[in-house]
Amino acid sequence: MNTLIRQKDRDPIIQSLRAGVVPNRGQHLIQVGRAREIEAMVTDIDRVADGGASFRFVIGEYGAGKTFFLNLVRAIAMERKLVVAKADLNPDRRLHASGGQARSLYAELMRNLATRTKPEGGALPGVVEKFIASAKAESKQQGVATEQIIRFRLEQLTELVNGYDFADVIATYCRGADEGNEQLKSSAVRWLRGEFSTRTDARAALGVRTIVDDASIYDQLKLMARFVRLAGYAGLFVCLDELVNIYKLASSQARNSNYEQILRMLNDSLQGTAVGLGFVLGGTPEFLMDTRRGVYSYSALQSRLAENTFATTELADYSGPVLRLSSLTLEDFYLLLRKIRHVYAGGDPERYLLPDTAITNFMEHCSNRIGDSFFRTPRTTITSFINLLAVLEQNPGAEWQALIGGLDVTRDDGGKGDLVTEPDDELAAFKL
Amino acid sequence: MAEDTSRAWLWWTASGVVVFFAAISNDFWLTLGILGSAEIVAYTLIKISGESNASARSKSARSGHEPTLAELTEGTPRVRANASPVPIKRPQNFSGTTSTPPLPQSAFTERLGAQAAKAVGTAIAASHAASIEEFYSIQKSQSAPSSSYKLPPAPKEVRDKCWVSPGESVDVAGITLTGGMIYVGTRMTAPNGRPDPCLINTLLPVASAGDYRVPQMGYWPSYSEISPNERRAYLNWLAGGRSDTDCEIGYVFLFFYGLERRIILDSRDDQAAKRDWPAIIDELRRLLTIYGETSGSFRHYAGGLLSWIELDGASGRLYEKPVPHLPKTYELPPYLRLALGQAAADRAPVPAPLALAWVRLSPDTYFRTPAKRCPNEFERLFAQRYEETFGAGLALRETRTKLKFSYRAASAGLLGSTITLGFGDIPDVTALTAPIKKLREIAAQCTDELESYSRLLGRDPSLAGSFESVLLLPPAIWPGEAKVELHDVVSRLREGCITLTLQELISKLGVVKQPLSRDRVRNLARMLEPMRIGMEPNVLGGAKAPSEADTVVLFALLDSGEDASLGPEYQTVALTLQLGAALAQADGDFSAREIEHLQAKIDDWAQLTAAERRRLHAHLQWLVANPPTLSALKRKLEPLDRAAREAVAAFMVTLAQSDGYVSPEEVKFLEKLYKALEIEPKRVFSDIQAAGTGGSTPAAITHPAARGFQLDADRIAALQKDTARVSALLSEIFVEEAPVPEPSPPAEPEPSDVPISPLGLDESHSALVRLLLSRQQWTRAELEDAAADLGLMADGALELINEAAFDALDAPLCEGNDPIDVNTELLEKIAA
């Protein structure tokens, strides 16, 4: 805690927070509490790194810090040499669809594929090339053609769905690299990213018969998980956020097929059939528990969740597939602000711009302005706090007491959007 | 008129004699001749006295019309000169009226077929009439050796002929009298020398109509002296089976005189008469049941006569024998006194039935309704308490007063006679007051104990034997198996609540199956209460009464009895429990953890009294067996205010969490509940979430104002600890560079020809690293070219290099995509 924080670690955090978004990196610097939850996730990650599988729902309310938590988990996974794919679901990106929305989700995941060395995403070519490079090194050693090595190594993938074509595409990439054929390379990457929308195009570009389509994205992820392991990574960790979008789907059939997809993931992870693949899904309590539209409406999935629950003496259960994040409390928020102050000061207590009492005053001010539960949806208040710090930094003589009084804080109502759902389309206009 | 009568009488007698003479043998005539002359003398005597008697009333009779009712009732009252003091006085009406009666056609005369016989019989009776004034005392040797009695000698003559044995019938004045036990004849004298009042003299006129319901006779009626109407009334009553309750008691007495005579006089030395005793006893008892209630006088006399019978026939130790049924009279029945006296003399304990009879029949004991309404229960209870108080029985001390029994006759014919029985040295216990006082106390106590039972039966006699009545009885006299079972229940209650169906409970009380109405279930609960047994559902508190197959829970109430009223908090909490049960049941399984949680909650509710808490625990157990549905509870939720609703909702959410998993059914239930509570149903999820994470409880959400703006220092401390822990965990993962790991590579002086890479990379990658480090920034194109030159793929090479850099130095060598920044800071480290 007493170590200084580098400017390049500090700035992204401050900038993200000021913009009201979750920082992409450095989350650990402002993490408050949640030791057990994080421990649970670290266990998951380690299991994946050992070639196992994991599956978690991270359930929290708006403002509880799901995204922050997922980002932290993602960062941890990368630190543990996992390849991480993260995507938010939205109406155009789903786990299951027939109109390309699922493929779109896959493409997003692949675009955001990140490794420790490329934490901001776009690591797919690097991963592929790393694999090829090691194949090349081997080929050099053994005096065998690189493609042969690649084929040999990828042989175990061919048993999986699309596995044969996957090997083909990797080989094609290798060929493209060897030949300096950028077109070929990018086609291969496009295929891997699921960006081909028709088989004809893929065949024309790469000579493969299949593409990553809506139906095969999960299989493709499994394939990818094995592949990254072959490429020398510990495994693939997939973070999906905003699952409330499934809950918001109007068609119960669409919802159910999405839940079915989740069920597959859960089953594979519980049965250990997936290798080196971890999932963490972030959603709101409604998404999980709504008995008409949420996970609980899909009884097969619901019962799996129930079966894996063990009554523990504590109220919160960290071993089941559902990890609940509590909303922030006043005290959580207080510590968070202190951490932000610490980060803002670059980790140097000498440079703190505010005393502890000012933090309390600030919170009281927020409480007066936007109500008692301001700390439960901290996005806007954190922004205000950083603004305050910025003003103090730029005007060294300013009195914080005066500034706090004039600070403008707005209520964060973003959570309301989560609850807005269209009515079910079935029977909505049914009339006799 | 009198002359007419006597002339007609003479004529009949004469013709009767003639017929008789013709029919009977010569030997007999001689005797009869003598007797006949005596008869004439007797007749003259009777006629003279009869005329003087009748002269007072002859006038109205002579007017020759039937007496009107007014005339019959307004006669001058006449008090008998020889009336001895009597316990009660009745208005004594006497109206001496006669009319010209048809001659009595008695069965007796018809049977003989000759009036002569009649005349003879009467003459014989008359000849003895003068000799009955003498009194004497005899020692009653055969049956009770110690007793003696004094009696006037009974006229020995024709009584057997007059007596109609029990069961025989006889016709008088055209009326058939069945059942017997009356004296029918023409002549029979009482010890006082007058015609015995009980004798139905067939010669006397009987009117054609008479109403035995009209009180008109004198206090000591006599058949021979009452009016023909009254005779008719009497005969009617006799013919009607002697059982009409409306009958004027005088007629009953008239009949009673006969029984009395039979017992006291006839039986004295006639063993045949004693054979009639059983029938007479039965008859007396029967009459007592009919008339004993209304007439204390009759009760007294009949009781006295019964006692006489009992005493006369008594032998051995009476207190060892079962106590016969004795009517209550103005004094303690002599039988009892004898029995008690014997007990005292023998210094034997008084058995309970005898003691009870003593209290019951003591003239100054008044039993209140309970003892009368439920005699059997009273008896059992008395026996029990008696035994508790006195063990084997009360021991009486001997008194100096010795027992003596004098019979006060009812019949005017026996008036003036002193009829007494002596019993030697048997003490008279009525001289003792202490024992009876004690017994009376016991009786009073028993009466009190039976009070509620009696009241119940008073309200509804059909409840006798029902479980309510059993419950109201003092436990000491419960039916055997009920006693055992309830004892068992009570002892089990000490350990905890008992769940059983109502039917089981009822059968435990040893009561046969009976339909259970709501009121009766309520009664049951009410009656369990004094036994400190509470019942759930709380039917007394307005809960719906369970049916037989339903489960009830019994629990031990606190002794303090403060549970009579259950406060509004109780109602709220009970409702919460009910909701909780409904919720816990929502997932189809009322798990042990859920029950535990609810139980813990009950103990947590500080505003409850201990009694309420106890009841709630039982209520919970009942709810486990009968979980309610939400729809049934909706109505009850209505009166709750906002805060209470929030609290209920918060509680429910925590409960749903308590088994570690909120099932969809529970969620559904909660949504419904929120709707019912008029709380935004969407909040269910947030509240479950909050409860599930153990963070801020919903209660805290709903009442943040209560907390005000206050930071919880303890919580901060705990959080800081938690944060420190997570920081440690994270810092292991995100190792800061400060403590430079410095694997202190073998400090090779880095001769460029040595193909050992700074990061342990292969030759071409190492070359790329060196190349990269030569510049601060590279464009993508430049890098790709460089990589291509080295036979590498740019991305793959960077990935590999950075990986290695991370492993060795915890930082990537280069960052960015285009342009690519090289972390030249690492140069020194790599170089080092």
Side-chain angles (χ1 to χ4, degrees):
Chain A
M1 198 74 170
N2 290 325
T3 54
L4 298 184
I5 297 163
R6 286 185 306 181
Q7 189 77 15
K8 73 181 176 84
D9 285 334
R10 166 193 177 263
D11 289 350
I13 296 174
I14 300 300
Q15 273 158 23
S16 309
L17 290 177
R18 197 167 181 179
V21 296
V22 173
N24 234 343
R25 47 193 290 189
Q27 298 90 351
H28 58 283
L29 293 174
I30 54 168
Q31 177 63 42
V32 174
R34 293 205 172 134
R36 303 190 56 120
E37 289 87 342
I38 290 167
E39 274 165 9
M41 287 315 300
V42 169
T43 319
D44 274 10
I45 290 165
D46 288 345
R47 182 152 9 108
V48 174
D50 286 345
S54 78
F55 184 95
R56 290 271 185 176
F57 280 117
V58 172
I59 301 296
E61 296 220 54
Y62 179 79
K66 290 184 297 298
T67 307
F68 184 91
F69 188 76
L70 287 186
N71 279 355
L72 180 62
V73 168
R74 178 172 162 271
I76 295 171
M78 288 192 295
E79 281 298 314
R80 291 280 158 107
K81 294 185 185 174
L82 267 69
V83 178
V84 179
K86 180 176 187 293
D88 290 353
L89 267 64
N90 65 25
D92 293 326
R93 290 186 205 132
R94 308 180 199 161
L95 286 169
H96 180 275
S98 49
Q101 293 96 330
R103 191 170 52 76
S104 165
L105 176 70
Y106 181 78
E108 176 73 7
L109 282 172
M110 288 302 118
R111 267 196 297 276
N112 289 338
L113 204 68
T115 60
R116 184 168 56 162
T117 60
K118 259 186 170 342
E120 65 283 350
L124 183 59
V127 171
V128 174
E129 285 181 13
K130 191 183 171 196
F131 173 76
I132 295 170
S134 67
K136 275 190 173 170
E138 199 180 330
S139 79
K140 227 184 250 176
Q141 253 177 11
Q142 299 186 0
V144 192
T146 314
E147 189 162 338
Q148 207 179 335
I149 298 282
I150 290 171
R151 294 273 178 202
F152 173 75
R153 285 201 184 176
L154 296 182
E155 201 180 346
Q156 51 167 309
L157 298 186
T158 54
E159 74 206 44
L160 298 170
V161 181
N162 274 3
Y164 199 83
D165 282 342
F166 188 86
D168 264 357
V169 170
I170 299 294
T172 311
Y173 187 94
C174 178
R175 205 164 58 240
D178 286 347
E179 295 166 3
N181 187 342
E182 287 298 321
Q183 178 67 34
L184 207 56
K185 270 169 74 181
S186 73
S187 293
V189 170
R190 276 184 66 209
W191 189 94
L192 288 172
R193 280 184 185 156
E195 286 176 3
F196 278 107
S197 55
T198 63
R199 289 193 177 83
T200 338
D201 290 349
R203 193 166 186 180
L206 296 163
V208 290
R209 283 184 207 87
T210 57
I211 55 166
V212 180
D213 57 14
D214 282 342
S216 64
I217 69 160
Y218 177 57
D219 294 309
Q220 198 69 30
L221 283 174
K222 286 205 275 188
L223 207 53
M224 188 57 78
R226 296 240 189 149
F227 176 71
V228 299
R229 283 178 70 83
L230 292 174
Y233 298 92
L236 177 64
F237 208 78
V238 179
C239 302
L240 296 171
D241 205 354
E242 307 295 345
L243 261 79
V244 75
N245 281 299
I246 298 180
Y247 162 84
K248 286 178 175 179
L249 288 176
S251 150
S252 72
Q253 209 180 346
R255 284 198 302 268
N256 282 346
S257 36
N258 275 283
Y259 290 136
E260 202 177 320
Q261 202 68 260
I262 295 176
L263 177 63
R264 272 186 77 196
M265 297 172 185
L266 179 62
N267 280 347
D268 281 350
S269 108
L270 295 175
Q271 291 159 3
T273 47
V275 177
L277 180 58
F279 282 99
V280 53
L281 283 66
T284 54
E286 297 81 42
F287 157 71
L288 179 69
M289 288 181 291
D290 192 300
T291 48
R292 284 172 300 280
R293 321 184 62 139
V295 171
Y296 279 7
S297 69
Y298 190 71
S299 66
L301 187 50
Q302 177 267 318
S303 61
R304 288 308 140 89
L305 297 181
E307 278 160 20
N308 289 284
T309 309
F310 302 97
T312 56
T313 43
E314 287 122 2
L315 280 177
D317 175 23
Y318 302 100
S319 64
V322 176
L323 196 65
R324 291 179 183 275
L325 294 185
S326 57
S327 291
L328 291 191
T329 61
L330 208 56
E331 292 77 15
D332 286 328
F333 191 64
Y334 172 73
L335 288 182
L336 176 59
L337 291 185
R338 282 178 50 154
K339 285 230 164 194
I340 290 172
R341 179 185 64 174
H342 182 75
V343 170
Y344 202 92
D348 182 2
E350 299 289 312
R351 287 167 56 200
Y352 284 177
L353 293 161
L354 288 168
D356 284 354
T357 43
I359 294 177
T360 334
N361 279 15
F362 172 77
M363 288 169 70
E364 204 165 350
H365 172 70
C366 294
S367 166
N368 292 340
R369 291 294 289 271
I370 55 176
D372 288 325
S373 51
F374 68 95
F375 52 86
R376 293 167 60 78
T377 51
R379 187 166 297 182
T380 52
T381 34
I382 287 174
T383 306
S384 303
F385 184 69
I386 292 176
N387 284 340
L388 173 68
L389 291 176
V391 171
L392 284 169
E393 191 180 33
Q394 284 152 35
N395 307 284
E399 286 284 315
W400 57 264
Q401 288 91 340
L403 283 174
I404 287 177
L407 209 59
D408 186 32
V409 282
T410 47
R411 186 190 293 274
D412 180 6
D413 288 332
K416 290 193 176 152
D418 281 356
L419 295 177
V420 177
T421 52
E422 297 165 42
D424 271 9
D425 52 3
E426 300 137 58
L427 300 180
F430 187 76
K431 231 178 190 179
L432 274 177
Chain B
M1 165 105 186
E3 277 171 343
D4 286 354
T5 320
S6 47
R7 217 173 286 145
W9 195 82
L10 269 177
W11 188 84
W12 277 110
T13 319
S15 54
V17 167
V18 173
V19 175
F20 211 77
F21 273 38
I24 302 177
S25 71
N26 283 347
D27 278 3
F28 195 61
W29 296 130
L30 239 131
T31 346
L32 275 186
I34 303 155
L35 287 171
S37 53
E39 190 195 354
I40 292 159
V41 176
Y43 167 66
T44 342
L45 278 171
I46 289 168
K47 203 189 146 200
I48 292 160
S49 72
E51 269 171 3
S52 64
N53 248 351
S55 58
R57 46 188 151 131
S58 56
K59 261 197 181 118
S60 64
R62 223 173 260 135
S63 62
H65 69 90
E66 284 289 317
T68 62
L69 186 63
E71 282 170 339
L72 287 171
T73 47
E74 74 186 10
T76 34
R78 188 177 68 103
V79 179
R80 272 170 202 272
N82 58 351
S84 60
V86 286
I88 61 157
K89 299 278 179 207
R90 288 190 287 122
Q92 296 163 4
N93 291 335
F94 183 85
S95 106
T97 50
T98 48
S99 57
T100 326
L103 282 167
Q105 295 289 318
S106 79
F108 180 65
T109 45
E110 275 172 13
R111 225 187 297 144
L112 288 183
Q115 271 63 34
K118 211 83 221 108
V120 171
T122 322
I124 294 166
S127 67
H128 286 270
S131 66
I132 48 174
E133 305 297 20
E134 187 192 346
F135 292 85
Y136 62 100
S137 179
I138 58 155
Q139 203 66 29
K140 207 168 151 275
S141 56
Q142 66 278 47
S143 53
S146 59
S147 61
S148 66
Y149 64 92
K150 235 189 219 169
L151 264 186
K156 286 190 179 93
E157 60 308 87
V158 290
R159 59 183 172 234
D160 279 339
K161 289 176 189 157
C162 296
W163 175 248
V164 181
S165 296
E168 281 177 29
S169 353
V170 63
D171 280 3
V172 178
I175 302 168
T176 308
L177 308 174
T178 51
M181 288 191 266
I182 43 174
Y183 288 91
V184 178
T186 51
R187 196 162 173 78
M188 183 170 73
T189 353
N192 67 354
R194 302 170 63 86
D196 198 295
C198 66
L199 176 73
I200 298 172
N201 193 338
T202 48
L203 298 177
L204 297 179
V206 176
S208 58
D211 188 352
Y212 54 74
R213 276 168 297 205
V214 182
Q216 41 187 258
M217 293 186 299
Y219 190 83
W220 275 282
S222 168
Y223 184 82
S224 48
E225 288 171 23
I226 55 179
S227 71
N229 295 72
E230 286 161 346
R231 285 189 196 119
R232 165 61 70 173
Y234 178 51
L235 293 176
N236 281 347
W237 175 72
L238 288 177
R242 306 188 283 257
S243 55
D244 194 327
T245 44
D246 293 337
C247 179
E248 175 58 23
I249 198 66
Y251 296 109
V252 184
F253 267 107
L254 209 48
F255 174 70
F256 176 74
Y257 296 158
L259 302 180
E260 193 177 47
R261 182 192 167 95
R262 188 73 182 163
I263 300 284
I264 305 285
L265 282 185
D266 296 2
S267 308
R268 198 178 59 204
D269 40 21
D270 182 354
Q271 288 308 307
K274 284 209 167 178
R275 281 196 293 273
D276 294 335
W277 281 26
I280 291 172
I281 291 169
D282 288 347
E283 181 64 12
L284 279 173
R285 297 226 164 101
R286 190 183 70 83
L287 290 174
L288 266 175
T289 56
I290 301 171
Y291 303 102
E293 284 298 308
T294 46
S295 167
S297 174
F298 181 73
R299 199 159 69 235
H300 167 71
Y301 283 112
L305 186 58
L306 277 173
S307 298
W308 176 273
I309 293 169
E310 276 147 11
L311 290 184
D312 203 39
S315 63
R317 294 188 174 87
L318 294 184
Y319 59 87
E320 285 173 349
K321 295 178 185 170
V323 183
H325 175 81
L326 299 166
K328 183 158 180 164
T329 59
Y330 304 107
E331 57 176 5
L332 191 65
Y335 178 89
L336 271 190
R337 287 157 73 180
L338 177 57
L340 290 167
Q342 283 177 344
D346 292 357
R347 306 201 174 279
V350 177
L354 188 60
L356 176 62
W358 188 5
V359 199
R360 191 200 299 276
L361 300 173
S362 283
D364 44 356
T365 305
Y366 170 69
F367 275 171
R368 288 187 298 122
T369 320
K372 289 183 193 156
R373 192 182 277 145
C374 352
N376 295 335
E377 287 81 5
F378 182 77
E379 201 172 298
R380 290 217 304 279
L381 185 60
F382 183 87
Q384 183 83 23
R385 298 282 176 254
Y386 181 76
E387 195 192 314
E388 283 163 19
T389 319
F390 298 110
L394 180 65
L396 297 172
R397 80 187 155 80
E398 230 172 305
T399 55
R400 265 176 288 180
T401 323
K402 299 300 171 209
L403 183 64
K404 211 170 189 186
F405 177 54
S406 66
Y407 180 75
R408 205 180 298 120
S411 169
L414 286 165
L415 272 178
S417 318
T418 320
I419 310 160
T420 52
L421 281 174
F423 301 97
D425 275 345
I426 300 294
D428 188 354
V429 288
T430 45
L432 296 170
T433 51
I436 186 72
K437 204 174 148 203
K438 273 188 220 155
L439 292 177
R440 221 172 274 149
E441 273 165 20
I442 294 177
Q445 180 201 343
C446 295
T447 316
D448 287 346
E449 286 185 65
L450 282 174
E451 193 135 23
S452 43
Y453 174 76
S454 159
R455 262 203 296 273
L456 176 77
L457 291 196
R459 273 201 306 274
D460 185 358
S462 68
L463 288 178
S466 67
F467 65 86
E468 294 104 317
S469 61
V470 169
L471 281 172
L472 281 180
L473 286 175
I477 57 163
W478 274 347
E481 70 273 33
K483 204 190 258 173
V484 175
E485 287 283 3
L486 259 135
H487 196 266
D488 178 47
V489 164
V490 170
S491 61
R492 270 166 65 201
L493 278 180
R494 241 168 262 139
E495 290 147 30
C497 308
I498 304 174
T499 312
L500 71 181
T501 67
L502 191 54
Q503 186 53 54
E504 279 168 356
L505 174 60
I506 304 279
S507 64
K508 268 190 196 306
L509 300 178
V511 178
V512 282
K513 201 174 163 171
Q514 286 163 321
L516 277 173
S517 70
R518 203 165 132 223
D519 287 339
R520 298 190 62 198
V521 176
R522 208 168 283 169
N523 280 343
L524 175 63
R526 197 172 292 129
M527 284 147 200
L528 285 171
E529 217 150 75
M531 296 158 63
R532 311 315 304 155
I533 298 178
M535 188 172 99
E536 272 296 331
N538 187 9
V539 285
L540 296 180
K544 192 166 162 276
S547 71
E548 284 176 30
D550 285 346
T551 320
V552 294
V553 173
L554 299 181
F555 64 100
L557 289 172
L558 287 182
D559 291 332
S560 56
E562 57 175 310
D563 48 14
S565 62
L566 300 165
E569 292 90 8
Y570 173 85
Q571 299 302 345
T572 311
V573 173
L575 176 60
T576 316
L577 271 193
Q578 287 157 14
L579 284 170
L583 170 66
Q585 190 56 37
D587 57 4
D589 169 41
F590 211 136
S591 79
R593 271 181 63 82
E594 285 164 329
I595 295 171
E596 228 169 74
H597 179 80
L598 285 172
Q599 281 171 341
K601 271 290 164 206
I602 293 173
D603 292 330
D604 283 352
W605 268 303
Q607 68 270 41
L608 296 176
T609 65
E612 286 172 332
R613 217 163 272 157
R614 208 168 252 251
R615 182 169 276 282
L616 279 175
H617 275 297
H619 188 59
L620 173 61
Q621 193 168 333
W622 180 75
L623 288 171
V624 172
N626 311 292
T629 58
L630 180 60
S631 49
L633 296 171
K634 251 180 196 154
R635 196 176 43 82
K636 295 191 187 172
L637 291 172
E638 275 163 19
L640 294 182
D641 63 13
R642 185 85 204 158
R645 283 164 189 240
E646 294 276 6
V648 167
F651 175 73
M652 287 305 128
V653 169
T654 344
L655 175 67
Q657 272 292 343
S658 65
D659 59 355
Y661 176 67
V662 185
S663 73
E665 291 77 17
E666 285 171 328
V667 173
K668 267 183 199 157
F669 176 89
L670 284 174
E671 281 186 277
K672 277 189 221 154
L673 171 67
Y674 272 49
K675 232 175 261 171
L677 289 170
E678 288 166 17
I679 301 174
E680 173 59 46
K682 293 278 183 205
R683 254 188 52 197
V684 169
F685 307 113
S686 350
D687 290 355
I688 294 177
Q689 175 75 7
T693 50
S696 50
T697 63
I701 301 166
T702 49
H703 306 292
R707 281 172 54 183
F709 190 83
Q710 283 270 298
L711 286 172
D712 185 341
D714 291 345
R715 222 181 123 73
I716 289 180
L719 256 172
Q720 266 173 331
K721 221 169 139 194
D722 198 33
T723 308
R725 189 168 132 212
V726 77
S727 296
L729 174 78
L730 291 173
S731 63
E732 272 172 36
I733 298 165
F734 302 93
V735 190
E736 299 283 339
E737 58 190 309
V740 184
E742 198 73 43
S744 56
E748 270 136 312
E750 200 186 340
S752 55
D753 56 319
V754 178
I756 288 174
S757 122
L759 297 166
L761 297 164
D762 64 15
E763 198 184 337
S764 44
H765 285 94
S766 300
L768 185 61
V769 169
R770 268 178 235 114
L771 196 59
L772 280 169
L773 286 170
S774 65
R775 293 188 207 176
Q776 289 259 351
Q777 199 175 56
W778 292 75
T779 64
R780 178 107 196 144
E782 286 169 340
L783 186 69
E784 279 182 4
D785 288 343
D789 290 341
L790 288 166
L792 298 171
M793 292 170 290
D795 284 322
L798 280 182
E799 185 74 24
L800 210 66
I801 290 166
N802 279 335
E803 282 273 301
F806 261 115
D807 286 346
L809 308 165
D810 272 307
L813 187 68
C814 42
E815 286 171 280
N817 219 358
D818 191 16
I820 294 144
D821 293 318
V822 178
N823 192 350
T824 45
E825 291 168 35
L826 295 179
L827 183 61
E828 302 123 44
K829 289 176 191 165
I830 293 168

